Amino acid sequence: MSETARNAEGRPTNRDLAIVVVVCLVMLAAVVTYLVTSNSTSEIRQQSAVAREAFTSGNLEVALKSAEAAVKAGADDTATLNLLGQAREAKGDLSGAERAFGESLRRDPNQPLVLHELAVIAVSRDDLDSAESSLRKALADDEKLAGSRLLLADVLAKKGRSDEARAQYEAVLEAAPHGVDLNTVRAKLEALPR
């Protein structure tokens, strides 16, 4: 029998007992961390799924509450943040939508559709410079975004930059994207001052 493992009475030393206690505490902490993390991850997934389904079905109240609950539980993925932004925007909370979209862009700056959403909010506030900046970034990421190009043309027209607006309207007409009313685009083009 080793002297370090047992004292004179044949019992484990205080040092050995302390080591056993520390090892047990570390193992307990690891188990608790695992359980908390897995419960939190499960809650995040569940809340995100409920939010997506509710948003798709038009139930904005449930979508908003579920997306907020997922973010509060620790969701930091761009899909959940974007859903939160869309739900807030649809409910009229433009500042909240901007915060959610901004956080999503901090996680992944290459999201042209999120930049478009921020431009829509900026236009609604008549902040044409911010709208133009967001739209140009969106189009730099994906030049085929007809909605962004059309909104950029509208913004440029409002800013009195007719030649630039004309070029954007013409690009939309040339691309003839599905879902865009080309007659409306032509009317906007014709309404520009020469």
Side-chain angles (χ1 to χ4, degrees):
M1 185 174 293
S2 163
E3 289 179 41
T4 59
R6 307 254 177 210
N7 64 14
E9 290 99 32
R11 289 193 260 169
T13 64
N14 287 341
R15 179 176 178 245
D16 292 335
L17 290 174
I19 290 171
V20 169
V21 168
V22 168
V23 168
C24 287
L25 288 174
V26 168
M27 290 173 60
L28 179 62
V31 168
V32 168
T33 300
Y34 170 77
L35 291 174
V36 167
T37 302
S38 67
N39 285 342
S40 181
T41 301
S42 175
E43 180 184 350
I44 290 168
R45 286 187 186 133
Q46 180 183 8
Q47 291 295 341
S48 294
V50 168
R52 273 190 300 282
E53 185 177 318
F55 189 81
T56 302
S57 67
N59 190 341
L60 295 178
E61 198 63 40
V62 170
L64 182 59
K65 286 181 181 179
S66 296
E68 286 174 341
V71 170
K72 185 176 181 182
D76 64 354
D77 60 292
T78 58
T80 301
L81 291 166
N82 293 341
L83 184 61
L84 178 59
Q86 290 172 322
R88 285 179 173 168
E89 183 179 8
K91 294 288 285 179
D93 178 8
L94 300 183
S95 295
E98 279 181 315
R99 284 191 305 277
F101 290 139
E103 185 61 32
S104 178
L105 285 173
R106 277 188 279 291
R107 297 199 184 326
D108 179 6
N110 298 322
Q111 297 184 77
L113 296 176
V114 174
L115 289 164
H116 178 91
E117 290 298 322
L118 286 171
V120 168
I121 293 170
V123 167
S124 73
R125 292 187 170 150
D126 206 31
D127 183 357
L128 301 180
D129 291 336
S130 293
E132 180 182 357
S133 175
S134 290
L135 291 165
R136 290 198 185 277
K137 288 177 190 172
L139 289 166
D141 284 346
D142 186 351
E143 64 184 32
K144 294 179 182 175
L145 291 175
S148 293
R149 188 163 307 283
L150 186 55
L151 185 56
L152 177 59
D154 291 344
V155 166
L156 293 169
K158 283 183 182 180
K159 291 175 86 173
R161 292 163 50 194
S162 298
D163 290 340
E164 291 176 74
R166 184 174 285 105
Q168 297 300 324
Y169 286 133
E170 289 172 351
V172 171
L173 289 171
E174 185 178 315
H178 179 71
V180 173
D181 182 358
L182 298 180
N183 290 326
T184 301
V185 177
R186 282 186 198 93
K188 289 180 177 188
L189 181 60
E190 291 171 10
L192 287 174
R194 296 223 175 238

